[in-house]
Amino acid sequence: TSLPPLRFEALGGFTVRRGSWRAGESHWARPIAARLVRLLLVHVDRPVPEDLIFDALWPGRTASSARRSLQVTVSRARQVLDPPGAKRSAIEAGDHAYRLVLGQRDSVDADEFAAAADVALAESGEGRRKLLERARSLWGGEPLPEERYSDWATVYRERLTDRYIEVLTALVELYERAGEHSGAAAIARELVDIDPLNEGGHRALIVAYARAGRTGHALRQYLEGRRALVEHLGVEPAAETSRLQARILAGEAV
């Protein structure tokens, strides 16, 4: 009980910490042990069946071969997560399934961000902006970038990214409403960087540039957004976006 709690970080890169100690590559012995913990973290506090783990980490292996590898990998992961002499392990096993169990003081940065985002987006009063800013400050970057191409991580990664996009979108609206066009442009640029096909993000950035008197930037942003949509999706911008460009070309206020 005197040890610092475990801290799992999924945003911006996977890391496990305990106080000032950080699990490095040498602690995991083999990368597969860290991958197993990432897989269990995606399903934290829920049992993950062996078959799902086999398919994710040892596809093509026979069940007996994959099970032997899993047992060795679980042992290595426990050496990283569990302090010497621990009565219980952070990785529980039973009924042909494994589960990552958090202690009362253990934490996950992605969960903290998601909780803060939920509170902020549900707020409609004067405290909304402050709460949104706090949620934004908890975002550490792309969720589990190590598993960018792993099917089992797709839903987890997309859910968190979509929530962050909601936070940024709400902040852009508040900044624009307050007349802070440069701040709105910075947030809208982040939106577009996260998802170049987010037409709403491009539109928000165009408006922010135009209202800040940066007409050239606004028109170039329209072209950037149109190019992304045409090249990747084969579609032209929506009528709302095209009308926005026409108004800026005509010198109208937007």
Side-chain angles (χ1 to χ4, degrees):
T1 57
S2 62
L3 285 173
L6 279 171
R7 169 77 171 173
F8 295 90
E9 297 178 1
L11 302 176
F14 175 70
T15 306
V16 177
R17 302 179 187 274
R18 191 184 286 278
S20 61
W21 175 84
R22 175 182 179 275
E25 290 184 13
S26 61
H27 294 99
W28 294 107
R30 292 189 179 181
I32 194 67
R35 286 203 75 201
L36 172 64
V37 175
R38 289 196 290 270
L39 173 59
L40 297 178
L41 181 63
V42 166
H43 303 276
V44 68
D45 283 328
R46 289 175 288 156
V48 183
E50 281 185 348
D51 290 346
L52 191 153
I53 300 174
F54 297 163
D55 290 342
L57 303 184
W58 294 281
R61 292 263 199 102
T62 63
S64 58
S65 173
R67 185 170 290 108
R68 286 194 297 271
S69 295
L70 175 57
Q71 290 169 349
V72 171
T73 303
V74 168
S75 177
R76 288 182 177 138
R78 282 172 170 163
Q79 290 175 21
V80 175
L81 302 180
D82 300 340
K87 294 181 179 179
R88 295 182 59 184
S89 174
I91 299 179
E92 290 186 350
D95 296 327
H96 300 288
Y98 289 84
R99 182 165 70 112
L100 179 64
V101 182
L102 298 185
Q104 286 187 342
R105 298 186 301 145
D106 296 341
S107 60
V108 182
D109 64 345
D111 292 347
E112 292 175 351
F113 159 75
D118 289 345
V119 170
L121 291 166
E123 173 63 45
S124 57
E126 294 181 359
R128 181 175 172 85
R129 176 165 168 172
K130 183 176 181 181
L131 291 171
L132 288 168
E133 293 284 13
R134 179 176 181 276
R136 185 188 182 197
S137 72
L138 293 175
W139 181 259
E142 178 186 354
L144 296 183
E146 301 87 351
E147 304 298 343
R148 191 173 294 148
Y149 306 109
S150 299
D151 291 343
W152 53 264
T154 299
V155 173
Y156 179 84
R157 285 166 37 83
E158 289 181 350
R159 175 175 55 81
L160 287 167
T161 302
D162 288 347
R163 206 59 170 155
Y164 186 52
I165 287 173
E166 288 183 66
V167 168
L168 294 181
T169 301
L171 273 173
V172 169
E173 293 174 359
L174 290 178
Y175 270 69
E176 282 294 352
R177 199 178 302 163
E180 300 176 33
H181 306 309
S182 294
I187 298 171
R189 167 52 65 187
E190 189 176 353
L191 265 175
V192 171
D193 289 343
I194 292 172
D195 181 8
L197 301 180
N198 183 337
E199 189 172 353
H202 284 286
R203 205 158 44 235
L205 188 49
I206 292 168
V207 169
Y209 281 149
R211 290 177 178 173
R214 302 165 70 182
T215 304
H217 283 74
L219 294 172
R220 282 196 295 273
Q221 190 60 44
Y222 171 82
L223 295 176
E224 179 184 320
R226 179 183 180 276
R227 186 181 305 112
L229 292 170
V230 171
E231 289 182 358
H232 295 280
L233 299 179
V235 299
E236 290 287 341
E240 182 182 356
T241 309
S242 297
R243 283 196 299 269
L244 181 60
Q245 181 215 25
R247 292 176 64 186
I248 294 171
L249 286 169
E252 299 177 7
V254 297

